Amino acid sequence: MKNFFCSVFFACFISGCTSEKSNFPEFTSAEIGKVTGQMTELMIHDITNPPLASRFFSYTYLAGYEVIAQHDSTFPSMHGILNGYPNLKRPDSISGYYYPVAAMLAMLETAQQMQPSGKRLLSFRQQFLDSCKKMGLTSDQIIQSQKYAQVISKAILAYAKADGYNKISNLPRYSPVKGDAYWYPTPPGYMAAVEPYFNTVRPFFLDSASQFIPPPPAAYSTNKQSAFYKMLYDNFKQGEADLSDEHRLIAAFWDCNPFAVQDEGHLMVGLKKISPGAHWLGITDIVCRDTKKTFNEAMFIHALVAMGLMDSFMACWDEKFRSNRVRPETAIRRQIDPHWKPLLQTPPFPEYLSGHSCASATSATILSHYVGNNISFTDTVETRYGLPPRSFKSFNDAAAEAAISRFYGGIHYMDAINDGLVQGKKVGEWVIGKAGR
């Protein structure tokens, strides 16, 4: 009899800690997608650059995933997998929470603290809490879930602070390298180089940002028989005036340039666009819903894609500021046509490798492994920004189109695109090998 009462007490204690009651509806992956959408809107508002956007997403999903890993033994702890990740323990002093709610709140708390305009998330957070009450959670259960979330978020924010990104502002201001072969700011904004020291940040999975150094790009040359000039001339022929309607649409669909501005006489008007990472995380949301991934599965996949994106951007940016190659717009105007313009606005950083090619290949590799090699889907991420949906037979098909869009847009040479796809796949495979499952 004594053993019976002990068993009952233990069962009640565990139930009280997690509040996993059958009358609570299960959370779906769509809840995670809502956070992605809210964060994306903030990044557009703050004009968040692509590498930094991937960093915000990474720590936000990691906070949610840590809660999942502490309650679902089928998902591994990231301790021993991520570089420098602490062995976080479940805060046993907190009881009576519902862990899916705690996971969502940990995400929102982390995003709010990391993003410059994070306070704008407060209204969405309140809407979420109101929905929790409607689903049957008591005020105490919500309060305990909030307490749990704050403990996890505080630990993730400390881990984020230790990655070294905050030290970048103390480094010398980057100055463009002199010489025709090197990148130089382009019109109309002539913006300064973005994140020249991003390779100094601690990666999540990679040993270092330079773990997968790509082959050197084709050397700059004015010789019309050189490999560089031939690629340059291909870009010139693929100029804005000669593009097909389909190629224009592809370029616009994958533009994802937060720095785009439009010259309106004496004014420079910013154009509303998302980052490559936000686009691929939007795809992640779509396919997790389409394939009916559980809330826990979706959190794991979102976290891996986001952290893979950050490592991919680090590896890409490491090469960008090593080779420092001139953009097509600058070289074509100097060598062929001083009035030539690309379809897309040239981003403010060196050309080789193509960042979108790297990020897309990494995302496609991870999604193919955890969702499926030949999963067809319709990408509606850009419809809210006025672009029609596009359908793909696989993630790799989407990545290939995202990569070639940079050629259609006139902002990359073909070797940067092809080598970027190779680089991105290597990063994605490394992430899968480290994360397992």
Side-chain angles (χ1 to χ4, degrees):
M1 182 66 68
K2 180 179 179 181
N3 290 339
F4 171 77
F5 282 115
C6 287
S7 298
V8 170
F9 175 79
F10 182 74
C12 291
F13 176 77
I14 294 298
S15 176
C17 281
T18 60
S19 295
E20 296 182 74
K21 296 183 178 179
S22 60
N23 61 319
F24 293 156
E26 291 185 6
F27 276 31
T28 69
S29 64
E31 299 302 321
I32 302 170
K34 292 175 185 177
V35 177
T36 303
Q38 292 292 317
M39 291 182 67
T40 298
E41 289 300 314
L42 283 191
M43 290 175 192
I44 291 171
H45 176 273
D46 294 337
I47 317 178
T48 306
N49 68 63
L52 184 56
S54 69
R55 181 174 179 266
F56 290 158
F57 279 126
S58 292
Y59 288 112
T60 295
Y61 296 128
L62 182 57
Y65 178 73
E66 177 60 36
V67 177
I68 301 301
Q70 290 185 2
H71 292 84
D72 188 339
S73 60
T74 63
F75 292 92
S77 166
M78 287 297 162
H79 176 64
I81 295 176
L82 302 181
N83 295 321
Y85 193 71
N87 187 13
L88 301 179
K89 300 295 185 181
R90 184 192 297 188
D92 291 331
S93 61
I94 303 172
S95 62
Y97 55 85
Y98 184 46
Y99 86 79
V101 172
M104 287 287 292
L105 291 173
M107 292 174 66
L108 291 171
E109 181 73 19
T110 304
Q112 179 187 330
Q113 294 297 324
M114 293 195 73
Q115 293 190 251
S117 297
K119 289 186 177 180
R120 288 172 171 255
L121 289 171
L122 289 175
S123 60
F124 175 78
R125 182 177 182 275
Q126 187 58 52
Q127 292 173 17
F128 172 71
L129 293 177
D130 291 342
S131 72
C132 290
K133 291 179 181 178
K134 290 180 180 178
M135 76 165 63
L137 268 76
T138 66
S139 296
D140 186 61
Q141 287 166 338
I142 291 174
I143 290 172
Q144 296 307 311
S145 298
Q146 288 176 308
K147 288 181 179 179
Y148 194 117
Q150 288 168 355
V151 170
I152 298 301
S153 179
K154 182 178 179 180
I156 297 300
L157 290 169
Y159 177 61
K161 187 176 181 180
D163 72 5
Y165 183 81
N166 60 347
K167 298 178 181 178
I168 288 178
S169 60
N170 297 323
L171 296 175
R173 182 179 177 84
Y174 180 83
S175 297
V177 179
K178 294 182 179 180
D180 290 348
Y182 303 111
W183 172 80
Y184 196 79
T186 52
Y190 295 97
M191 297 181 185
V194 168
E195 301 292 3
Y197 302 112
F198 199 65
N199 64 340
T200 65
V201 179
R202 178 195 61 210
F204 286 105
F205 297 96
L206 297 178
D207 295 336
S208 71
S210 58
Q211 181 173 341
F212 299 115
I213 296 179
Y220 177 85
S221 176
T222 58
N223 184 338
K224 293 184 179 181
Q225 302 306 313
S226 67
F228 175 83
Y229 191 91
K230 290 177 180 178
M231 287 194 306
L232 182 69
Y233 197 77
D234 285 341
N235 281 102
F236 169 69
K237 288 190 300 181
Q238 194 70 30
E240 180 181 5
D242 299 321
L243 283 170
S244 68
D245 289 342
E246 175 67 3
H247 288 176
R248 288 173 179 270
L249 184 58
I250 290 172
F253 188 79
W254 295 101
D255 185 11
C256 304
N257 180 8
F259 310 105
V261 294
Q262 187 169 301
D263 194 344
E264 299 283 358
H266 296 293
L267 295 175
M268 288 290 181
V269 180
L271 305 178
K272 188 175 183 179
K273 297 184 181 181
I274 66 175
S275 68
H279 194 141
W280 274 100
L281 285 161
I283 291 173
T284 303
D285 170 46
I286 289 169
V287 297
C288 281
R289 285 188 281 113
D290 287 352
T291 57
K292 294 180 171 52
K293 295 295 182 186
T294 66
F295 180 75
N296 292 5
E297 289 172 332
M299 190 74 80
F300 175 73
I301 294 169
H302 277 78
L304 285 194
V305 171
M307 291 187 288
L309 279 164
M310 180 167 161
D311 278 13
S312 192
F313 277 119
M314 288 187 64
C316 180
W317 255 243
D318 180 64
E319 177 56 40
K320 277 185 180 294
F321 288 92
R322 178 185 300 109
S323 54
N324 216 317
R325 190 167 66 176
V326 64
R327 287 278 183 171
E329 180 174 6
T330 305
I332 290 173
R333 288 185 173 191
R334 182 184 298 128
Q335 294 194 36
I336 303 174
D337 181 355
H339 304 294
W340 186 86
K341 293 175 64 176
L343 175 65
L344 300 182
Q345 195 169 119
T346 301
F349 34 80
E351 189 271 341
Y352 185 86
L353 300 159
S354 160
H356 215 328
S357 300
C358 291
S360 296
T362 297
S363 301
T365 301
I366 295 170
L367 288 171
S368 294
H369 181 80
Y370 291 104
V371 181
N373 278 320
N374 296 303
I375 299 294
S376 60
F377 65 96
T378 298
D379 182 352
T380 57
V381 173
E382 297 279 4
T383 56
R384 66 193 302 176
Y385 306 111
L387 293 169
R390 294 187 67 80
S391 296
F392 301 96
K393 294 181 179 179
S394 70
F395 301 117
N396 288 328
D397 283 350
E401 184 178 280
I404 196 63
S405 74
R406 319 319 270 169
F407 176 69
Y408 298 152
I411 60 176
H412 276 293
Y413 311 106
M414 281 305 301
D415 63 345
I417 291 168
N418 293 330
D419 292 346
L421 286 171
V422 173
Q423 173 90 326
K425 184 178 180 180
K426 288 181 179 179
V427 174
E429 290 174 341
W430 183 262
V431 170
I432 293 166
K434 295 281 283 187
R437 200 174 185 276

